Amino acid sequence: MLVNAITWLLQRISAALLLVVLGLHLWLLYVANPAEIIQFSEAKARLVTGSYVTIYVLLLLFGLFHALNGLYTVMVDTGLRARLVTISILVILGVTLFGVGLYSVVQFIM
Amino acid sequence: MSSREINAKIFRYDPEVDAEPRFDEFKVPLIDNMAVLDVVMHVQNYIDKTLAFRCSCRIGMCGSCAMYINGKPRLACRTQVKSLGTNNITIMPLPNLPIIRDLATDMEPFFEKWKKIKPYYVGKSELTEPAVIRPDSGEREFIDQMLDCITCGCCYGACSMVATNEDYIGPAALNRAYTLIADKRDAIRIERINVVGRSYGVWRCHDQFNCAEVCPKKLVPTKSIQQLKKRCVLQKFGIFK
């Protein structure tokens, strides 16, 4: 029961946080950014600043958690029995994807 | 077809005899203020005596005559033919339940889940005096809204999560559990929370409101289930006792 209650709560918290960081992302890209066409060079320039990197790392973290937790919930809805194995696979997948995303962002700073 | 005639397409299936279900069509004379229950009764009384369906009170109290009428679970006795807006009526048994014969479904899975939540009030034995809860208190008002369930199974038949997973307790039992858990006088609230907080309890509800849409008593089980989820989380953090 604890896992169910906590994952339900975290799904809602991550959704609320996603709204904040996704809103920031859209605002930075389409409102604060004066350029009509998004250029790679400008994106590269933005991603060297700490605040931008923080926003994108958080977006990655909340987005991945929300998506994988949602996927797990759908699988349980349809009668998943091997839960521990599935959770383990999803955790490994999440950590790997987060690592790949983090590596990509860090490349801009290096 | 004349406008004073109903074309009733009725689901027919006897699992012990028929290899596959079929639809039989019947012409039934339209009478003013006719309910769908009158249509199936006419068919059984005057056209085909073998048609099976369940009914009892005929006034929307017993919840026996729930059927899937023109694509929606409804009480046959409370559904006026006129309200359907057509003289073509398709009547099927309630979804998500095994079929006994024709329109009669086996309600056992529904009531097995109903029993799981112990659907009766358990008083605290140490109380010597009746607890005083003002009838106009906010808490009381919310419980009162959810008390009118007649266990017809319309919500259970409409719930897409029950259709997806037969282990899910379902909206009616969860709504009943909420009315007891929200009642401070109840002695086994934590026990009930532990039952509804299991994997196939409240967590399988995804707020689609199918149950609320079809409830003949205008209850909103989704609202009760949301309250239960909140209480399950609070109980885990030791806030709800």
Side-chain angles (χ1 to χ4, degrees):
Chain A
M1 182 184 157
L2 182 63
V3 175
N4 294 313
I6 297 298
T7 51
W8 177 81
L9 184 65
L10 289 178
Q11 189 73 348
R12 264 116 204 103
I13 294 171
S14 61
L17 293 172
L18 256 180
L19 275 179
V20 175
V21 284
L22 206 56
L24 270 173
H25 163 74
L26 292 171
W27 185 77
L28 289 169
L29 222 57
Y30 299 105
V31 181
N33 180 19
E36 281 189 21
I37 300 165
I38 299 162
Q39 303 285 346
F40 177 73
S41 56
E42 288 166 5
K44 193 179 167 188
R46 276 197 297 274
L47 279 168
V48 294
T49 57
S51 51
Y52 275 97
V53 171
T54 309
I55 289 168
Y56 286 108
V57 170
L58 289 176
L59 181 58
L60 184 65
L61 182 69
F62 301 145
L64 268 174
F65 177 83
H66 196 76
L68 294 175
N69 193 28
L71 183 65
Y72 173 73
T73 307
V74 172
M75 287 195 275
V76 176
D77 285 344
T78 49
L80 176 76
R81 299 285 170 195
R83 296 197 187 172
L84 208 59
V85 176
T86 310
I87 290 174
S88 308
I89 293 169
L90 290 175
V91 167
I92 292 167
L93 183 67
V95 170
T96 309
L97 289 174
F98 184 71
V100 171
L102 203 61
Y103 177 77
S104 310
V105 173
V106 167
Q107 291 306 302
F108 289 98
I109 307 168
M110 302 289 275
Chain B
M1 191 182 76
S2 87
S3 61
R4 299 302 297 171
E5 197 174 56
I6 294 162
N7 183 26
K9 196 173 159 189
I10 301 180
F11 179 94
R12 306 301 301 272
Y13 182 52
D14 183 346
E16 287 178 8
V17 178
D18 302 327
E20 278 187 11
R22 66 179 194 279
F23 281 96
D24 285 350
E25 291 196 24
F26 303 97
K27 304 277 184 223
V28 177
L30 178 65
I31 303 162
D32 287 340
N33 300 320
M34 194 178 202
V36 174
L37 186 60
D38 300 318
V39 175
V40 286
M41 277 184 163
H42 179 94
V43 171
Q44 195 194 51
N45 288 340
Y46 302 109
I47 307 173
D48 185 347
K49 291 190 191 310
T50 65
L51 176 67
F53 60 91
R54 192 188 290 117
C55 71
S56 181
C57 74
R58 304 185 66 175
I59 52 166
M61 258 179 68
C62 70
S64 310
C65 65
M67 297 171 193
Y68 195 67
I69 302 161
N70 279 10
K72 200 172 162 183
R74 311 172 204 244
L75 287 183
C77 69
R78 305 306 296 163
T79 305
Q80 293 274 309
V81 170
K82 205 166 64 181
S83 74
L84 297 171
T86 173
N87 285 7
N88 296 316
I89 307 174
T90 304
I91 310 168
M92 294 170 71
L94 212 53
N96 300 337
L97 289 162
I99 296 164
I100 297 173
R101 193 153 68 86
D102 300 337
L103 303 174
T105 50
D106 180 2
M107 296 295 283
E108 200 181 333
F110 174 86
F111 282 111
E112 277 304 313
K113 291 169 183 177
W114 184 259
K115 275 197 285 186
K116 272 186 190 172
I117 57 109
K118 296 190 177 166
Y120 43 84
Y121 169 72
V122 178
K124 289 175 181 165
S125 55
E126 70 271 17
L127 289 180
T128 50
E129 292 291 319
V132 179
I133 296 177
R134 287 180 57 83
D136 60 349
S137 70
E139 174 194 35
R140 188 70 238 165
E141 279 173 18
F142 194 76
I143 296 172
D144 283 348
Q145 284 175 29
M146 301 300 173
L147 277 177
D148 281 344
C149 179
I150 53 170
T151 59
C152 62
C154 281
C155 58
Y156 193 86
C159 179
S160 52
M161 295 319 297
V162 174
T164 310
N165 197 314
E166 62 182 18
D167 291 333
Y168 173 44
I169 293 181
L174 291 172
N175 179 68
R176 177 64 186 148
Y178 177 68
T179 60
L180 294 159
I181 288 166
D183 190 335
K184 282 182 184 162
R185 304 167 303 159
D186 190 61
I188 57 165
R189 296 161 83 203
I190 299 300
E191 194 183 315
R192 291 187 213 280
I193 280 275
N194 288 333
V195 173
V196 301
R198 283 184 193 146
S199 183
Y200 291 110
V202 289
W203 313 111
R204 299 279 67 78
C205 170
H206 296 305
D207 314 337
Q208 293 165 340
F209 288 90
N210 300 131
C211 50
E213 199 185 329
V214 299
C215 179
K217 293 291 174 181
K218 308 285 177 221
L219 304 184
V220 189
T222 316
K223 215 157 129 183
S224 301
I225 297 169
Q226 289 312 303
Q227 291 294 326
L228 284 175
K229 285 178 182 173
K230 202 168 80 184
R231 280 174 158 80
C232 285
V233 171
L234 292 176
Q235 196 239 337
K236 281 296 139 204
F237 289 112
I239 301 165
F240 178 80
K241 291 187 173 82

